[in-house]
Each structure stands twice: as C-alpha cells, then as structure tokens.
Amino acid sequence: APVSGSNWNVERNSPDYQHILDVANSAIQTYNIDRSKVFLIGYSHGGMVGYKTMCRTVLESNPYVAFAAVSTQVSWIWQGSTRECCPNHDFHALHVHGTEDGAIPYSSVTSWACLTGEDFVRRHGPVDNGCAGPSQRTSTNVASATIEEYTEGCSGKGSATMMKLQGVAHYTLSNGLWK
C-alpha cells in the first residue's frame, strides 16, 4: 500500500518508490527469501509506479528480478534534469493489456508515458537485452490472448513478454477472462 496517501504517488520524489523497495528487502531478510524469485506486479496506476520503480532502480539496490505490468504504460523517468524512457534494462518484464482499454489505451501513448506496453516489450527484449524473437503463440488458459515473447538467447539480464488481450477493457483481472 502507498505511504503517501490512498493512491500511489508518481511524482519524482515520491516516498512510495523507496517504500516498495524497503518492504521487499525487509521480507527477504526477515524470512530468508531467495532473491532470484522476487517479483513485482502492478495494475493500472500501480503498474505506472511499478514501471517507475523498476526502470529507475539499479539491480544492486532493487530486490525484484521481474515485473508484471497490467493495464498500464511505461512512464517517463527523470534522471536529474534529463527525462529518459526506462534506463534500467536489468529485469524480466511481462506486460498484460486489453486492446479495448478505455482508461489507459493499448495502442496510443498517453501524455505521461514514453511507450505503450507493446512497444516497451519490443524494445526491452531484443534491443535492450539482445533476446531472440519474437516467438508468438495463443494462450491456452486466457481467453483471446496472444503472447509475444523475447525470452531466448538474451545477452542482457532481462527479457520481455507481451500478453495482448483481444477485446478486453481496463479491468483485465475479471473472472470471465480466464478459461
């Protein structure tokens, strides 16, 4: 849960980013959790905060090896006075998004974003991490989903997968989605 109020704060100096890292690091130390199995998930506004957390944090101080974003886009990151689009490439990414999302569009970039999820996956896998691909398939357990993966032969520390949900709106986590 956010420490800055009832919603995640996405401003540059938000305490929420450090809180997300601190909670995971504390749990890892307290419960002896294997760091190679810790991942972050974010839905909608939480996905925006998740991308900002992953994209701006170097791996040494980031307890997460992977991030799953649902119904969101990749936010701009401020590095001092420079605006960048996800300068950290050292994580595995899964992006899930419905093509009929009216809140955060699937195929057009919003004013606060630098990339759609699909464009991010196509950059993060092959360009940023040297992964082969794409391999494409249709999901067997998610209705109307096509999956595009860049997960083989990666030379970097990350990979990327896109799960495109045909005809699904913003609320992708509904029971009707799953077969």
Side-chain angles (χ1 to χ4, degrees), residues 43 71 101 168-174 177:
Y43 168 72
S71 299
D101 190 333
V168 175
H170 189 67
Y171 300 102
T172 57
L173 303 177
S174 68
L177 175 66

Side-chain angles (χ1 to χ4, degrees), residues 41-156:
I41 185 170
Y43 168 72
S44 191
H45 200 76
M48 182 191 328
V49 172
Y51 265 125
K52 284 191 167 200
T53 300
M54 295 301 290
C55 290
R56 67 190 236 148
T57 309
V58 294
L59 195 59
E60 291 76 32
S61 63
N62 188 338
Y64 305 103
V65 296
F67 173 55
V70 182
S71 299
T72 194
Q73 292 183 350
V74 183
S75 303
W76 287 105
I77 304 299
W78 287 95
Q79 300 284 8
S81 61
T82 306
R83 189 168 79 160
E84 296 184 44
C85 189
C86 200
N88 178 26
H89 307 146
D90 296 343
F91 64 95
H92 303 286
L94 166 65
H95 191 97
V96 180
H97 210 142
T99 59
E100 302 302 316
D101 190 333
I104 300 176
Y106 176 85
S107 59
S108 61
V109 178
T110 58
S111 61
W112 49 263
C114 56
L115 290 170
T116 65
E118 186 172 61
D119 290 338
F120 173 75
V121 164
R122 290 180 177 162
R123 187 192 88 179
H124 189 72
V127 177
D128 296 341
N129 283 290
C131 303
S135 64
Q136 295 183 331
R137 60 188 168 90
T138 302
S139 175
T140 56
N141 34 334
V142 178
S144 304
T146 55
I147 300 168
E148 182 176 317
E149 296 179 301
Y150 299 89
T151 57
E152 299 297 322
C154 303
S155 57

